[in-house]
Amino acid sequence: MKKIWWIIIIFIVLVVLFLVGGEVYKRQTNSQTTKNSTEIDEAPTVTASFVDPTKIAAITKFRSCQGHIVVPQDGSEVRSNMKHYLYLKKEYTSARRLVELYAPFDGYVSDIYKGDEDFSDRNPASRDLTVSKSKGLSARSDWGFSFLHIEPRDNLKEGDAVKAGEPLGYVSLELIPPYYAFDVVYAKMGTFPKKIDKWNSPYAALESAFAHMDSQALAKFAVFGVDSADDFVIAKATRDASPCQYGPDGRQFDQTRTDAWYNDWLGNINDAVN
């Protein structure tokens, strides 16, 4: 009888130790997870100019009415385009690989996207490329800097570590129609694309890449007559009061050249092939 009681007592002690140990481990794990999440969630600072600004004719502002709708999936923004288009000066459009693109910060090539049938107008080497602070599956929920219409340099692949200012490739001169520009997007990706009007939005959150530039990198864009990162952005209140309107196709924004249209640009779009 005494032996049975000892067995019961030992069993109870082991259960208690197991529960206590599990709770300690859980708290430690949660604490570490929270710490890691905070570190991953921290938006990286752009410490290097991602392109030579003297080769760029014009840049669209964040929340412009150029191109098509690019907004986050949560409905927090009215119709606008929350990425930047950078149009090349005419003299840099005569041949491929005249305009190099560079890593904006130390990190990893987290994604190189070839595209699907919607990208049939691209030259075969064209890709979308994202640089993030992390790599692998976790990079998708992290802030990343994406180049659209880039021709990656030879042998560059997903998972490669890159340093700020390191060459990543070249602006891809797309085929149909001739497209002498590239896009930059500073964003977090959503789990799945969400249909917004006639476009699929892959973005959970979007911010202006220039809003995350350090002073040295931003100073190189002074050639556009800017004083601060705010000059690259149309304020949310301004856009909320005047959402972008679609053109006749109901897909692209109206391109009637009003004063508001010209206010979407920094630089001189007439110096580009447009």
Side-chain angles (χ1 to χ4, degrees), residues 88-194:
L88 307 186
K89 290 181 177 179
K90 294 173 183 176
E91 57 263 38
Y92 298 106
T93 63
S94 59
R96 293 170 54 200
R97 299 197 167 198
L98 294 181
V99 180
E100 200 160 28
L101 299 174
Y102 308 96
F105 47 76
D106 294 349
Y108 298 90
V109 177
S110 58
D111 187 60
I112 300 178
Y113 180 54
K114 182 178 181 180
D116 49 31
E117 64 273 6
D118 290 335
F119 295 80
S120 59
D121 58 347
R122 292 189 171 188
N123 87 56
S126 182
R127 300 288 185 270
D128 294 345
L129 185 151
T130 300
V131 177
S132 303
K133 279 294 188 181
S134 58
K135 60 180 177 178
L137 294 177
S138 63
R140 190 172 181 84
S141 59
D142 189 9
W143 286 101
F145 186 111
S146 296
F147 296 89
L148 283 64
H149 308 287
I150 180 176
E151 186 176 326
R153 62 175 167 81
D154 296 341
N155 301 318
L156 188 68
K157 60 185 183 300
E158 290 182 7
D160 283 354
V162 292
K163 292 291 186 182
E166 179 179 336
L168 297 178
Y170 306 85
V171 177
S172 173
L173 304 184
E174 307 299 14
L175 304 178
I176 307 170
Y179 184 69
Y180 305 124
F182 69 101
D183 317 354
V184 295
V185 185
Y186 192 100
K188 287 183 179 183
M189 303 298 286
T191 305
F192 299 104
K194 179 182 178 180

Side-chain angles (χ1 to χ4, degrees), residues 196-215:
I196 299 177
D197 295 348
K198 294 184 178 181
W199 290 89
N200 285 322
S201 172
Y203 304 114
L206 288 143
E207 294 184 3
S208 170
F210 295 97
H212 292 276
M213 270 191 170
D214 68 15
S215 58

Side-chain angles (χ1 to χ4, degrees), residues 1-9:
M1 188 71 176
K2 187 180 291 187
K3 185 176 180 180
I4 294 176
W5 276 110
W6 274 112
I7 292 173
I8 293 173
I9 291 170

Side-chain angles (χ1 to χ4, degrees), residues 56-61 223-226 262 265-271:
I56 303 302
I59 305 173
T60 60
K61 297 178 183 178
V223 294
F224 290 92
V226 296
Y262 282 104
W265 298 88
L266 293 166
N268 187 356
I269 189 60
N270 294 318
D271 289 340

Side-chain angles (χ1 to χ4, degrees), residues 66-88:
Q66 301 302 314
H68 57 87
I69 188 168
V70 180
V71 292
Q73 298 173 343
D74 62 4
S76 59
E77 296 275 347
V78 299
R79 293 186 302 275
S80 75
N81 191 321
M82 298 176 71
K83 60 183 177 181
H84 296 282
Y85 295 139
L86 292 91
Y87 277 75
L88 307 186

